[in-house]
Amino acid sequence: MKQSVNALASSHVTIRQSSDLPKLPAPKPEKTLKHFLDFAEALQSKKEFEETKHIVHDFVVKDLPKLQALLEKRANELPNWLTPWWLNIAYLAARTPLPVVTSPGVMFPKFDFNTPEGQLEYAAKISQAAIKFYLLAKNDQLKPDMSGKSPLDMSQYKFLFGTTRVPKIGVDEIKYGCDYKEKLQHIVVIRNGHLFRVQILDSNEQPLSISAITEQLRKVVSESETPNPHPVGIVSSDGRDKWAIVYSSLKKDNKNAESLEAVEKALFVVCLDKSSDPPVGYTEKDEQSRQALHGGGSKVNSCNRWFDKTIQFVIGTNGYTGMTYEHTPAEGPPVGALMDYICDQFDANAFYQDGPSSSSEVQHLPLTTTSEINQRIAKSSKNMDHTANDLDIVAFTFKPYGKNFPKSAKISPDSFIQMAYQLAFYRIHSSLPPTYETATLRKFTEGRTENIRSPSSAAASFVRQMVSKPPRPVNEIHDALIHATNTHKKYTVDCMNASGMDRHLLAWKLIASENNLPTPEIFGSNIYQQLNHFQVSTSQVPTRHFIQMCFGPSALDCYGICYNPQETELHFMISTFKSYGSTSSKKFAKELQKALIDMKSVINKAQKQTSKL
Ligand code: COA
């Protein structure tokens, strides 16, 4: 059935634009420094903590008044004092490769296809559904996301499409699709390392029919049977300065410059992949995450990627599909919402079978390389292979219960899960890990993220009670669990309301540097370094469908955990680096299973005791 885009759009209501949301306030110094001391105390000996108190006191006397005044001035002047800094520090100025730590992978539920023609049909349907979502975002027709009763900033949705990170020496540039005056009408399809421009919308912004898209994909297939001997896209997986040198060298050739412009202005990329098998001991689901994160190495699909593009749909040959997404323009939840929407379109079979056909030919986008660039391609392939082999990533679904259980016990599911990470880690390593958890700041105009830190002293006390031998009385363990989860939830609320610690400390550091002021001693202290070395790095990305996101660990000794708590099951993607030697994703999954079961048992036993009283 043909459905007009406008009819579909009118079923969504525009309630609020981001500019109506409050501006991010400058946080209060007293609260930030109290948090700093609390987190330090949980990690330090008494003597070390005395030293930290001195450092904080000196900071308050010497540096704070000037730095806070400068920050408040910036907060008055900008729509969001943090976001421009954050985009630079966390993304554009980072010189490290995008896969596997910065760019997450996202996995669709398994689709029902297993043939080359099925691969094209699903690629066409995913593309058309994504385009429908693009039009809704572009025309402000998406329902605002909410956190409780608070609407969230929706600007990230517009940044997802037509956007590219362009490599530059020192600091990359981000080119947003929504900034182009012209109407973007094409996507780029990559197969066997060859790039093609494929039309996806007509000049009136009507999506092409499924048959028109599929027909073009068939042409792509017929023109790309032989693998590209010089797949320059693999260099986009390497260090950013290396890629910047190659990129500017490519641009000197006019034809290359045209091809690169077509990639930059593509609404998104579709990678038609070749088949891949999981390594021994891993599942198909684990392999799906490898394909979404890095493509499995240069001999598999890593040469079939363009890591600068915000959205790359990766379409396997056996029903497994997903996305590699470049993180600069958006956080995980808008990407999760796009993936949910695409799944809805499949459930409702809501594709336009009729509609415009393409008015332009599929266009091969040649990139002519020099011998120097070819040498770089070989080196980048080797680097990618090393990373792909080193990353240990597993998909783990906890089936005994979902977020319904902690809710029934009047505990925040997110805080409950975070305490399970602390317990699992402690049982493996006999210490508590400095832990990063993303909190959204989207209640504020152009908001991005804050960091909810665990562990606190309350988390430490809960873990000690859980592992104590002989066992502690169950009501004491239960009280410690409730105190730890409440403390975590309280800090979560602080973070989401712009009273977190991390971004405020970062702001003082950056504003000192921007104003040529001396770097305060606090930022050179051991405790500041210690607090910024995370051994567990986590992010919750909830979705309605069975969609999982994943990313690599932020340090060699770290666990990277992306999780999706659903009502009756909890989904986790756990990653570690094999070369570290003392971490293992499977071992962590096993301990997490045990921690979640033990925590439920504590609650059940405590509830039974209370009901007997
Ligand atoms: N008793 C009963 N129910 C409770 C409860 C309690 N004490 N505390 C919370 N709940 C309920 C909530 O009402 C909510 O209900 P719902 O399922 O009907 O919506 C549910 O439990 C989940 O709440 P909670 O687990 O506390 O967390 P949250 O959903 O508020 O999420 C964050 C917390 C920090 C993950 C979230 O606020 C956030 O910032 N998300 C964005 C993270 C992000 O950007 N990630 C991507 C980075 S790439």
Side-chain angles (χ1 to χ4, degrees), residues 415-437:
S415 304
F416 186 85
I417 292 167
Q418 287 290 332
M419 290 311 124
Y421 297 150
Q422 299 299 309
L423 180 56
F425 186 98
Y426 190 91
R427 281 176 169 161
I428 300 171
H429 300 285
S430 306
S431 64
L432 287 170
T435 303
Y436 186 103
E437 179 191 356

Side-chain angles (χ1 to χ4, degrees), residues 13-55:
V13 189
T14 305
I15 297 178
R16 186 187 272 269
Q17 298 300 305
S18 68
S19 55
D20 297 338
L21 295 175
K23 276 174 63 158
L24 184 71
K28 300 265 174 293
E30 309 74 45
K31 219 167 174 177
T32 298
L33 292 170
K34 181 178 179 321
H35 288 318
F36 184 77
L37 289 170
D38 284 350
F39 288 121
E41 194 173 15
L43 296 179
Q44 292 191 301
S45 66
K46 276 206 166 104
K47 191 164 165 252
E48 288 167 336
F49 185 57
E50 283 308 309
E51 174 65 13
T52 299
K53 285 203 277 192
H54 280 301
I55 293 173

Side-chain angles (χ1 to χ4, degrees), residues 457-468:
S457 308
S461 156
F462 156 66
V463 169
R464 263 186 239 115
Q465 299 258 11
M466 283 296 286
V467 299
S468 164

Side-chain angles (χ1 to χ4, degrees), residues 327 332-333 403 407 410 412-414 439-440 452 489 496 539-540:
H327 209 316
K403 66 176 174 176
K407 272 161 99 172
K410 303 210 170 2
S412 149
D414 187 67
T440 186
I452 310 164
K489 184 68 194 181
M496 290 173 66
S539 233
Q540 185 190 133

